[in-house]
């Protein structure tokens, strides 16, 4: 267990807590957290997870910008004070599309990592990479389904990180699983409120 893993763990919990509350400060906290975890995963030879942190960095920056920008008026003019982005849901076709694309990308990336690197658990690591990117993108777009994605990723990640002796990180992802459930409940309430239910 390194100081980077400890700091990344603490910032990860704070960042997800802020996301559950739909607080824009979750994005800059997340940026620092993923920078720390890029090093942790590189040292553990979980190369897909290390690469994932670089993608997370970019998506975190986008999410921060997107949430700060807010919604546009009906005429397409940006308001002087941005309105909070509402939580929305994908249609079933969108959900199935993301799952299908994720499965293909996981198989392709996992096989590439198996053949070309000394990656530990390349296919499981690829699953975490691909489906985390999908969940992070959906979160940046404020789609309710991001939390279901995070729940699934967290279950896989707990096993992978435990197997690689990253016990604190496995514990973090157990906490993340609980937080993903809480995030789903909170965002579902927000969606119901915005729809007037």
């Amino acid at each position: 267990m390194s100081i980077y893993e400890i700091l990344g763990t603490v910032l990860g919990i704070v960042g997800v807590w802020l996301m559950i509350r739909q607080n824009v400060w979750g994005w800059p906290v997340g940026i620092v957290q993923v920078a720390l975890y890029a090093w942790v995963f590189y040292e553990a030879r979980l190369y897909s997870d290390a690469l994932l942190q670089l993608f997370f960095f970019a998506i975190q920056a986008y999410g921060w910008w997107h949430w700060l920008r807010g919604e546009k008026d009906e005429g397409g003019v940006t308001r002087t004070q941005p309105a909070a982005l509402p939580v929305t849901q994908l249609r079933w076709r969108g959900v199935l599309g993301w799952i299908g694309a994720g499965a293909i990308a996981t198989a392709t990336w996992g096989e590439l990592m198996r053949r070309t690197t000394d990656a530990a658990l390349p296919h499981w690591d690829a699953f975490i990479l691909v489906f985390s990117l999908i969940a992070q993108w959906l979160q940046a777009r404020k789609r309710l389904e991001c939390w279901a994605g995070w729940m699934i990723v967290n279950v896989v990640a707990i096993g992978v990180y435990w197997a690689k002796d990253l016990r604190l990180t496995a514990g973090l992802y157990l906490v993340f699983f609980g937080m993903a459930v809480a995030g789903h409940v909170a965002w579902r309430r927000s969606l119901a409120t915005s729809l007037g239910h």
Side-chain angles (χ1 to χ4, degrees):
M1 181 179 333
S2 71
I3 188 67
Y4 301 110
E5 187 179 6
I6 293 167
L7 289 173
T9 298
V10 171
L11 290 176
I13 291 170
V14 171
V16 173
W17 178 79
L18 289 167
M19 281 293 122
I20 291 169
R21 300 179 55 79
Q22 300 180 49
N23 186 313
V24 72
W25 286 104
W27 296 110
V29 169
I31 287 171
V32 175
Q33 190 252 349
V34 299
L36 292 168
Y37 260 102
W39 181 252
V40 170
F41 291 135
Y42 179 78
E43 283 192 324
R45 290 188 358 226
L46 292 170
Y47 303 131
S48 292
D49 276 320
L51 180 62
L52 172 62
Q53 304 314 301
L54 301 178
F55 286 116
F56 273 169
F57 193 93
I59 296 172
Q60 295 269 356
Y62 168 77
W64 193 7
W65 171 82
H66 185 65
W67 283 29
L68 281 174
R69 190 173 131 242
E71 284 190 293
K72 294 189 178 204
D73 279 335
E74 309 251 334
V77 177
T78 303
R79 296 179 176 128
T80 311
Q81 293 292 331
L85 289 169
V87 175
T88 58
Q89 261 185 302
L90 292 171
R91 293 191 170 100
W92 277 107
R93 189 172 33 198
V95 171
L96 294 176
W98 281 113
I99 291 170
I104 292 167
T106 295
T108 304
W109 185 256
E111 191 56 24
L112 178 68
M113 294 303 285
R114 185 186 72 77
R115 290 177 185 226
T116 62
T117 72
D118 65 342
L121 308 169
H123 290 92
W124 290 110
D125 200 20
F127 178 89
I128 294 168
L129 167 79
V130 170
F131 281 92
S132 291
L133 287 173
I134 292 169
Q136 186 74 72
W137 177 255
L138 294 175
Q139 189 170 334
R141 301 297 300 171
K142 244 183 176 180
R143 300 287 192 170
L144 178 64
E145 293 80 6
C146 74
W147 295 111
W150 284 126
M151 286 180 236
I152 294 165
V153 166
N154 292 334
V155 168
V156 172
I158 290 164
V160 168
Y161 301 149
W162 189 267
K164 288 302 297 171
D165 204 29
L166 294 170
R167 304 302 162 111
L168 186 60
T169 303
L172 172 63
Y173 277 75
L174 180 61
V175 172
F176 279 170
F177 178 83
M179 294 179 89
V181 172
H184 181 79
V185 170
W187 281 30
R188 181 170 281 292
R189 278 193 207 121
S190 179
L191 177 63
T193 300
S194 70
L195 296 174
H197 294 125

